[in-house]
Amino acid sequence: MTQTPLSSPPASPATAAAPANPVKRFLAATEIDTRLLGMLAALLLIWGGFHLYGAVVNGNGAFLTPRNLWNLSVQTSSIAIMATGMVLVIITRNIDLSVGSIIGVTGMLMGILQVDVLPQILGLGHWSIWILTCAAGILCGTLIGALHGWLIAYRGIPSFIVTLGGLMVWRGMAFIANGGKTISPVDSTFALLGGGPGGNIGATGSWIVGLLACAGVIWMLINGRKQRVKHDFPKRPMWAELTLGAIGCAAILGSVLLMNAYPLPVGILRRLELPEDAFVSHGFAIPVLIMIAVGIAMTILMTRTRFGRYVFAIGGNPEAAALAGINTRWMTLKIFALMGALTGIAAVIASARLNSATNALGTLDELYVIAAAVIGGTSLAGGVGTIYGAILGALVMQSLQSGMVLIGFDAAIQRIVVGMVLVLAVYLDNLYRARTK
């Protein structure tokens, strides 16, 4: 009879904690965010559903085409840029309902500057008009955001009330600024920032951007592994590192191929004096590159700086953060000023894309921005949120809107669907937080 040993070698922590399910083991080894996978699955479901609906009802699926996906990326840019700032606002247990109206007033300011003011001073078509216009719009947004932050932080007015008032005040200011009239056309160079004709970098430029992005992914994985070794943190298995690198590079190169599959229309080919049957790719649109740059900068700000750590500390427990020596009021002012600056950048893209400044610019954008942040995993209870999640949430929201337009839903139905999605996202966030506790 064989006796069981009284003692056996203890299992290693990794072995003891390893999930039995292969999928869970894969997720644990690669450290992929399950909420990110959920959003990606929802996005693919939305895309596939709209495409199949169009194919069955209208006889042609128009959603999953290079043209529509290229336009979708441009439409997402301004909402995604604002959503990255809204993440910080919501993390610190605040809200900003005024971003749509700030777009309206800054867009009107930029329209007046480049159409009525600067050409009279510098001359029509001067090379610096678009630069001064962009700087003025971003500065205007920053100052408005700073004013909101000051009222919230130093005068103790709830952010809901301040920004709700701002929603009405700045929309009214946009109307008063030019009597409700539309200002157009904008400066030709400024219009390129909206992704219109010529507002793209072509096939070669897109491949350069894609290869640089792949190099960045590889560098991040190598540097991250070195940092884990340096600080004696647990390392991911090598196969997991290689898998993450392959997935990241495949996604980047796939997006390059998709953007390059959308050719310039015949009208632009004629203007460029090219053969009408020539295949010239759009490549990435300039607004998309701006969105990517903002996303990278905001991710670094939130994950690699003291400012980002303070934001999460305030969101987790404002009282404890203040007792720890964080100037929560000054931080609140800076967060709202940053939100205003990002709204100014979004106003540049939105007005350039329309090639005009209108009083209706940015209407209801606050709904889409808040929904994008919440769908992307930012908790309304504060303390939780990611930049990439907000950008993906913006893509989900714009996909819903674009798909409903393609299949012929009217504006009322679109608003009903968006409202239901927002409520569902908050409900799922509550379920997720309850499960993690």
Side-chain angles (χ1 to χ4, degrees), residues 120-173:
Q120 307 299 324
I121 300 173
L122 302 173
L124 187 64
H126 194 273
W127 63 269
S128 66
I129 288 178
W130 74 275
I131 298 175
L132 295 174
T133 298
C134 292
I138 296 171
L139 178 62
C140 177
T142 304
L143 293 176
I144 292 174
L147 173 62
H148 290 172
W150 179 77
L151 291 172
I152 294 165
Y154 290 92
R155 288 298 173 263
I157 308 174
S159 60
F160 180 89
I161 299 300
V162 171
T163 57
L164 180 61
L167 181 150
M168 294 181 282
V169 169
W170 304 120
R171 184 63 67 188
M173 290 290 289

Side-chain angles (χ1 to χ4, degrees), residues 10 24 44 54 61 119 169 188 203 234 245 311 379 433:
K24 291 184 178 180
L44 293 176
V169 169
S188 58
V311 169
S379 174
R433 288 190 293 110

Side-chain angles (χ1 to χ4, degrees), residues 46 101 109 147 167 245 265 274 278 280 295 302 358 366:
I46 291 169
S101 297
L109 169 67
L147 173 62
L167 181 150
L274 294 172
V280 181
M302 290 297 291
T358 69
E366 56 276 349

Side-chain angles (χ1 to χ4, degrees), residues 333-371:
L333 191 151
K334 289 193 290 186
I335 289 168
F336 275 89
L338 178 59
M339 180 74 251
L342 293 171
T343 305
I345 296 173
V348 170
I349 293 173
S351 57
R353 184 164 177 265
L354 285 178
N355 199 27
S356 63
T358 69
N359 185 56
L361 188 67
T363 301
L364 291 182
D365 275 7
E366 56 276 349
L367 170 63
Y368 289 95
V369 171
I370 294 171

Side-chain angles (χ1 to χ4, degrees), residues 35 90 95 367 369-382 397 417-435:
R35 300 187 78 171
I90 297 178
I95 200 72
L367 170 63
V369 171
I370 294 171
V374 174
I375 290 172
T378 304
S379 174
L380 291 172
M397 293 302 301
V417 172
V418 170
M420 293 172 62
V421 169
L422 178 57
V423 173
L424 179 63
V426 175
Y427 174 69
L428 293 177
D429 175 68
N430 290 338
L431 291 181
Y432 180 83
R433 288 190 293 110
R435 182 180 178 182

Side-chain angles (χ1 to χ4, degrees), residues 302-319:
M302 290 297 291
T303 60
R304 295 289 186 268
T305 67
R306 181 183 299 176
F307 180 90
R309 291 193 293 272
Y310 284 179
V311 169
F312 283 109
I314 293 171
N317 192 324
E319 293 77 14

Side-chain angles (χ1 to χ4, degrees), residues 193-216:
L193 301 176
N200 49 277
I201 61 173
T204 302
S206 297
W207 279 116
I208 293 173
V209 170
L211 294 175
L212 289 175
C214 287

